[in-house]
């Protein structure tokens, strides 16, 4: 089946730094979603992407839908302590009938 | 209203108990989902309801029984669970259609099976 690769498993950055996360696959996706999950809470949708090459921002977050439709990245600029959490990418392949494929997630830690 | 609500927040049950998890959304979404999530893992899809009908069952054991009474409500009935069923259970909803795949999640129910 389809797999989404997110690595590394954990990232440690200094407050104020920018950070970039990638999500890659060997399969083509027609939707890319980025979620953030805090401990004990449900995932919160950050950005949704629907077109190859699309670049979308949401405050300090910017995400892009790769031209090949096999990857996406999420950038967080000027990180703050509340950016701590697990970031999941999720994608939908054509004809997947509402099913999402999730990456394994990246745990982000921000040092003050 | 862009919120999915879930009750209860926490649930502890014995292996012989029967309990239910509840989910509600008022965004007019016609697709609703149940996911199971273990610590530090991504959500795993269990069930999908489309237009109040079960459209996907990911080979979930029969001790989990979903129900969609109407377009706003989704229940998950639990019976004779095992300790390995302890997890965060997430409900999500979305519009239906090729262009609308954004799934919105509730806060989850933390289930502990003793």
């Amino acid at each position: 089946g389809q797999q989404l690769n997110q690595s590394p498993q954990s990232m440690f950055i200094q407050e104020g730094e920018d950070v970039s996360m990638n999500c890659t696959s060997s399969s083509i996706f027609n939707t890319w979603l980025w979620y953030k999950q805090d401990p004990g809470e449900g995932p919160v949708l950050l950005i949704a992407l629907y077109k190859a090459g699309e670049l979308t921002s949401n405050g300090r977050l910017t995400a892009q839908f790769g031209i090949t439709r096999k990857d996406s990245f999420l950038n967080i600029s000027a990180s703050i302590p509340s950016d701590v959490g697990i970031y999941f990418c999720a994608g939908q392949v054509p004809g997947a009938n509402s099913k999402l494929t999730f990456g394994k997630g990246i745990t982000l830690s921000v040092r003050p | 209203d862009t919120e999915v609500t879930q009750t209860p927040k926490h649930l502890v049950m014995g292996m012989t108990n029967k309990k239910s998890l509840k989910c509600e959304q008022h965004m007019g979404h016609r697709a609703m989902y149940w996911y199971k999530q273990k610590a530090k893992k991504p959500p795993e899809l269990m069930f999908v309801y489309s237009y109040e009908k079960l459209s996907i069952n990911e080979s979930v054991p029969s001790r989990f029984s979903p129900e969609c009474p109407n377009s706003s409500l989704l229940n998950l009935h639990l019976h004779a669970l095992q300790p390995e069923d302890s997890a965060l259970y997430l409900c999500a909803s979305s519009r239906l259609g090729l262009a609308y795949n954004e799934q919105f999640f509730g806060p989850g129910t933390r289930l502990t099976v003793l």
Side-chain angles (χ1 to χ4, degrees):
Chain A
Q2 297 81 22
Q3 282 189 320
L4 290 182
N5 302 308
Q6 280 187 274
S7 64
Q9 190 174 359
S10 301
M11 300 180 78
F12 299 86
I13 61 173
Q14 200 75 31
E15 183 178 358
E17 289 182 342
D18 300 346
V19 62
S20 183
M21 306 176 189
N22 281 357
C23 191
T24 63
S25 174
S26 58
S27 303
I28 289 174
F29 284 79
N30 61 2
T31 300
W32 289 94
L33 306 173
W34 285 93
Y35 289 90
K36 176 179 183 271
Q37 187 171 24
D38 292 331
E41 298 294 330
V44 173
L45 182 63
L46 300 174
I47 292 181
L49 302 158
Y50 294 107
K51 290 171 56 176
E54 180 182 359
L55 185 70
T56 297
S57 294
N58 178 5
R60 293 178 297 106
L61 309 178
T62 302
Q64 185 158 29
F65 192 137
I67 287 290
T68 65
R69 298 172 63 192
K70 295 182 178 181
D71 63 346
S72 176
F73 72 76
L74 174 71
N75 281 347
I76 304 173
S77 63
S79 60
I80 59 178
S82 62
D83 291 332
V84 166
I86 303 178
Y87 290 81
F88 291 103
C89 64
Q92 186 173 43
V93 298
N97 195 23
S98 300
K99 291 176 67 170
L100 292 179
T101 301
F102 282 85
K104 292 185 176 180
I106 293 176
T107 300
L108 180 66
S109 299
V110 179
R111 291 186 291 259
Chain B
D1 185 357
T2 58
E3 193 179 43
V4 177
T5 59
Q6 289 187 244
T7 55
K9 180 75 171 172
H10 300 277
L11 179 62
V12 179
M13 59 185 293
M15 289 189 285
T16 59
N17 292 155
K18 286 185 180 180
K19 297 287 185 184
S20 296
L21 309 185
K22 297 186 182 301
C23 174
E24 189 168 4
Q25 58 89 14
H26 294 289
M27 294 179 277
H29 291 169
R30 302 307 296 275
M32 296 187 76
Y33 310 78
W34 280 116
Y35 287 87
K36 174 183 178 181
Q37 187 180 31
K38 292 283 199 178
K40 299 196 180 295
K41 300 291 186 184
E44 297 175 35
L45 183 65
M46 300 174 71
F47 302 104
V48 180
Y49 274 82
S50 303
Y51 298 109
E52 297 89 66
K53 294 196 185 311
L54 184 64
S55 57
I56 296 176
N57 176 342
E58 292 286 280
S59 302
V60 179
S62 59
R63 57 186 184 269
F64 296 91
S65 176
E67 179 196 18
C68 190
N70 59 54
S71 60
S72 299
L73 294 174
L74 187 66
N75 298 322
L76 186 63
H77 303 297
L78 314 173
H79 174 53
L81 294 194
Q82 304 297 310
E84 59 265 29
D85 296 323
S86 299
L88 182 68
Y89 287 84
L90 295 163
C91 174
S93 71
S94 74
R95 289 177 286 184
L96 277 171
L98 288 178
Y100 303 117
N101 300 312
E102 302 169 15
Q103 292 187 19
F104 295 89
F105 286 85
T109 293
R110 173 69 61 190
L111 174 67
T112 302
V113 182
L114 302 176

